Amino acid sequence: GAGVSQTPSNKVTEKGKYVELRCDPISGHTALYWYRQSLGQGPEFLIYFQGTGAADDSGLPNDRFFAVRPEGSVSTLKIQRTERGDSAVYLCASSTGPAYEQFFGPGTRLTVL
Amino acid sequence: RKEVEQDPGPFNVPEGATVAFNCTYSNSASQSFFWYRQDCRKEPKLLMSVYSSGNEDGRFTAQLNRASQYISLLIRDSKLSDSATYLCVVNSNSGYALNFGKGTSLLVTP
């Protein structure tokens, strides 16, 4: 079956711009996670959705970052006023529920110039 | 101090060699432990879970020492296709968020 998909695969933007990153989880997976992976580092947790609600957004670095999952399936990570330090690979994962195996998408590579 | 610490390597080994990776974690309340594999510019994929009694999957053996808060991965008879970054992963207090180490880079050469 289809895995987790993310679009775009690459995004280049200028400092100060707004970007949206999309994640399409595996069908039927109720849990969805966003992670961020900077160069040479492991992924870092950003936010967890169970269904439509953000159950835990404690990993979001500041209020420029926001994510939604209005219908409990597709999720969008939104970054306002991008900064060069936001450059990273943004990974989305989904699972059948919390504490079950997380399947990762291929990521969106964000470059802020 | 990071919650999960790993030696970043790189480990360069010849085909057929045995190689071991170690990692330590700081949260003694952690309940779930994993090794993920990440190929260059690809997403992480679960290699194996790690259980207290130790577990094996083909050429791969994982061990957990809760008292020392130490996790290991042993790869026997290395193949060229084992070349990748190996990420040590521990679940957070929440139970669902994963804490990743920086990863250990392995290069298996002919």
Side-chain angles (χ1 to χ4, degrees), chain A residues 22-104:
Chain A
R22 175 188 166 109
C23 171
D24 210 327
I26 293 171
S27 178
H29 280 193
T30 57
L32 185 146
Y33 316 80
W34 284 97
Y35 292 82
R36 177 168 74 171
Q37 187 170 23
S38 300
L39 193 62
Q41 305 293 318
E44 293 182 312
F45 170 76
L46 295 177
I47 187 169
Y48 158 63
F49 287 89
Q50 181 57 45
T52 60
D56 182 352
D57 64 357
S58 62
L60 295 178
N62 52 59
D63 61 6
R64 295 186 297 105
F65 289 75
F66 188 71
V68 296
R69 194 186 185 199
E71 297 177 357
S73 179
V74 170
S75 175
T76 304
L77 178 65
K78 308 180 182 198
I79 311 175
Q80 297 178 320
R81 305 184 302 282
T82 51
E83 299 177 357
R84 292 194 180 88
D86 298 335
S87 296
V89 176
Y90 289 80
L91 293 162
C92 176
S94 71
S95 65
T96 54
Y100 285 85
E101 181 181 351
Q102 295 181 26
F103 295 85
F104 284 81

Side-chain angles (χ1 to χ4, degrees), chain A residues 35 37 42 56 102 105 109, chain B residues 38 41 43 96 98 101-102:
Chain A
Y35 292 82
Q37 187 170 23
D56 182 352
Q102 295 181 26
R109 185 172 300 273
Chain B
Q38 187 170 29
R41 300 180 77 90
E43 70 272 24
Y96 44 78
L98 299 177
K102 282 187 177 183

Side-chain angles (χ1 to χ4, degrees), chain B residues 44-57:
Chain B
K45 292 185 179 177
L46 179 65
L47 177 66
M48 58 197 301
S49 300
V50 186
Y51 304 114
S52 295
S53 54
N55 49 298
E56 190 173 303
D57 183 359

Side-chain angles (χ1 to χ4, degrees), chain B residues 32-97:
Chain B
S32 301
F33 310 90
F34 312 94
W35 284 99
Y36 274 69
R37 172 190 167 131
Q38 187 170 29
D39 292 290
C40 188
R41 300 180 77 90
K42 298 288 190 181
E43 70 272 24
K45 292 185 179 177
L46 179 65
L47 177 66
M48 58 197 301
S49 300
V50 186
Y51 304 114
S52 295
S53 54
N55 49 298
E56 190 173 303
D57 183 359
R59 298 180 293 108
F60 298 83
T61 301
Q63 297 277 357
L64 169 64
N65 183 323
R66 284 186 184 272
S68 303
Q69 295 177 210
Y70 172 96
I71 305 164
S72 66
L73 177 69
L74 184 77
I75 305 175
R76 292 181 300 277
D77 188 23
S78 299
K79 311 291 185 192
L80 296 176
S81 58
D82 293 335
S83 298
T85 295
Y86 291 83
L87 297 158
C88 180
V89 185
V90 176
N91 75 321
S92 68
N93 284 337
S94 68
Y96 44 78

